[in-house]
Amino acid sequence: MTEKDRESNDSAENIIPLPTYAQLQNQSKRWHWTKRTRAYDNYLSNLRRQQKEEAYLQSEDRLIKIGEDLATAVEEVVEDLRYTSADESKATSVAHAVSSASKAYDNAVKNIRLLYGRSTENKETNAEVNLGAEVDTNQRVEVDLTSDRFMENELEYMKKLMDKK
């Protein structure tokens, strides 16, 4: 490189100026970077949640089929034990095998539900409605603790509690 080339490369026209912190703040306000990045994060989160839901539904169908097959096998074993000789060792080993299979299935279902962020227990719940009526259900209640709607409702509830005090 000649001296003349070096001088032309060092000239101000070849240098890209870096923005200042204040300029970045102004651009962020002007183009709503915070809102846009939050919206994009929410979009990605919702997309992932939908993909997880679809995967869970596919796995749930598979688990239902396995559970039905297991129930059929248990029925067949019980019928077989009913009509065979009274060999207690065979009955005990078959009962143990059925019990082990049931526990393995139950554990598999719970682990898969945990992987997908689902509840592993069905609980009886009492819910109070704003009208003062009490509802008693035996349905499973699942709440997505990461959703924006849930968090907004929680914040509103907490504000109401604070206002009452």
Side-chain angles (χ1 to χ4, degrees), residues 39-52:
Y40 183 68
D41 288 344
N42 289 339
Y43 166 76
L44 290 179
S45 178
N46 287 334
L47 188 63
R48 184 162 189 260
R49 200 174 299 130
Q50 287 173 350
Q51 290 170 343
K52 225 174 168 182

Side-chain angles (χ1 to χ4, degrees), residues 115-165:
L115 287 172
Y116 287 102
R118 301 293 179 110
S119 170
T120 59
E121 297 180 21
N122 293 333
K123 292 185 176 180
E124 187 174 321
T125 59
N126 291 324
E128 196 170 309
V129 181
N130 288 342
L131 300 173
E134 194 169 297
V135 179
D136 188 15
T137 64
N138 288 325
Q139 296 179 354
R140 178 179 61 223
V141 176
E142 293 183 17
V143 176
D144 181 8
L145 300 176
T146 60
S147 73
D148 291 338
R149 184 173 176 216
F150 174 78
M151 293 307 292
E152 288 169 2
N153 289 338
E154 286 296 302
L155 285 172
E156 286 178 32
Y157 179 72
M158 292 169 114
K159 286 177 184 176
K160 287 178 184 176
L161 287 176
M162 294 302 290
D163 290 341
K164 286 181 182 179
K165 290 185 177 187

Side-chain angles (χ1 to χ4, degrees), residues 84-110:
T84 58
S85 64
D87 182 7
E88 281 191 31
S89 63
K90 179 182 177 188
T92 303
S93 63
V94 170
H96 179 69
V98 168
S99 174
S100 295
S102 295
K103 287 178 185 173
Y105 175 76
D106 189 46
N107 286 335
V109 169
K110 284 183 180 180

Side-chain angles (χ1 to χ4, degrees), residues 15-52:
I15 296 175
I16 299 173
L18 293 175
T20 65
Y21 183 70
Q23 288 172 327
L24 287 174
Q25 283 183 317
N26 288 337
Q27 291 296 317
S28 174
K29 286 179 188 175
R30 179 179 179 194
W31 298 107
H32 308 284
W33 287 352
T34 305
K35 290 179 184 176
R36 292 170 70 187
T37 55
R38 186 178 301 124
Y40 183 68
D41 288 344
N42 289 339
Y43 166 76
L44 290 179
S45 178
N46 287 334
L47 188 63
R48 184 162 189 260
R49 200 174 299 130
Q50 287 173 350
Q51 290 170 343
K52 225 174 168 182

